[in-house]
Amino acid sequence: MKMWSLAFYDLPVGSKEQRRKHTRWRNNLLREGFHRMQFSVYGKHFQNAASSKACLRRLRQSLPSAGEVRFLTVTERQMEKMLVYQGQKQSDPELVPEQLLLL
């Protein structure tokens, strides 16, 4: 079943070291293929639950020592039902990324 995994985080950024850890965490998300949906909210589309679980297992190993991180996994169909507003105007939720076919 195709699904989305969402990562929500709130990390301290008061000191230089905390900002460094925040940047390291965000870069880990980007390396895993997550994209920014909102400030401190990142999402990634997966083809199946097994690949989502494996990715989240890798990310758990790199969790920052302070702050809060939450993961939520929803089906593609649930994601399509998301209501998104930019100001007063409603817009469409994230599209499923196109898959590359290598021959």
Side-chain angles (χ1 to χ4, degrees):
M1 175 184 312
K2 295 180 181 183
M3 54 192 31
W4 284 83
S5 285
L6 306 173
F8 308 84
Y9 64 90
D10 186 13
L11 304 179
V13 292
S15 70
K16 188 174 183 176
E17 181 61 26
Q18 288 173 332
R19 286 189 296 278
R20 188 176 296 125
K21 288 180 180 181
H22 174 273
T23 300
R24 195 174 305 135
W25 168 251
R26 190 176 76 68
N27 287 339
N28 283 340
L29 286 172
L30 295 173
R31 269 192 293 280
E32 286 287 347
F34 281 75
H35 69 277
R36 183 176 171 190
M37 298 172 70
Q38 279 187 234
F39 191 71
S40 297
V41 178
Y42 285 71
K44 181 178 178 182
H45 183 262
F46 291 93
Q47 292 296 318
N48 55 54
S51 59
S52 173
K53 286 180 184 178
C55 179
L56 296 182
R57 191 172 27 252
R58 287 190 301 274
L59 285 171
R60 279 197 315 263
Q61 294 173 356
S62 67
L63 286 172
S65 56
E68 185 173 346
V69 176
R70 296 172 185 233
F71 295 107
L72 175 67
T73 302
V74 296
T75 65
E76 190 173 275
R77 188 170 186 148
Q78 290 169 322
M79 188 73 167
E80 291 170 355
K81 293 180 182 180
M82 181 185 298
L83 298 176
V84 180
Y85 292 90
Q86 295 179 352
Q88 297 275 324
K89 185 178 178 188
Q90 186 171 359
S91 60
D92 295 327
E94 275 65 25
L95 298 174
V96 174
E98 293 186 29
Q99 299 296 315
L100 296 176
L101 179 60
L102 301 175
L103 301 176

